[in-house]
Amino acid sequence: MTSFNLYIGIDYSRAKTPSSSLPGLRVFTADRDHEPVEELPPPSPRNYWTRRGIAEWLAALYWHIVSLNLWKRLVTLKNRA
């Protein structure tokens, strides 16, 4: 039995500074039913993730999940009324 709905793996190899764009910075996601897939960095002239970019991506993902869960709760409460 798995404990989580979403798994995130981050390879920080050779990351120097928060704004360093390096090919060694990679992000993968997987869920209970699918193999891991690599997440591509946001469009940029550098073409690679930065540590800052990963932090911003994680924060946006967190708020997306929080808002989805809140929406589901509100719909559930509305349907009970």
Side-chain angles (χ1 to χ4, degrees):
M1 180 175 177
T2 57
S3 301
F4 302 99
N5 293 325
L6 177 66
Y7 299 85
I8 300 171
I10 301 172
D11 179 358
Y12 265 62
S13 300
R14 300 178 303 273
K16 295 179 182 179
T17 68
S19 58
S20 295
S21 177
L22 298 168
L25 291 172
R26 298 171 70 192
V27 178
F28 293 84
T29 57
D31 61 25
R32 294 178 182 203
D33 302 320
H34 299 91
E35 292 292 315
V37 294
E38 186 167 4
E39 297 291 335
L40 299 177
S44 147
R46 298 177 179 167
N47 296 322
Y48 300 111
W49 283 104
T50 63
R51 287 179 18 208
R52 179 173 287 125
I54 291 173
E56 291 169 355
W57 179 82
L58 286 169
L61 179 63
Y62 171 79
W63 288 110
H64 177 74
I65 291 169
V66 167
S67 60
L68 280 178
N69 287 334
L70 178 60
W71 181 253
K72 288 178 188 176
R73 288 182 188 157
L74 291 172
V75 169
T76 301
L77 291 173
K78 182 181 177 187
N79 289 337
R80 288 183 184 169

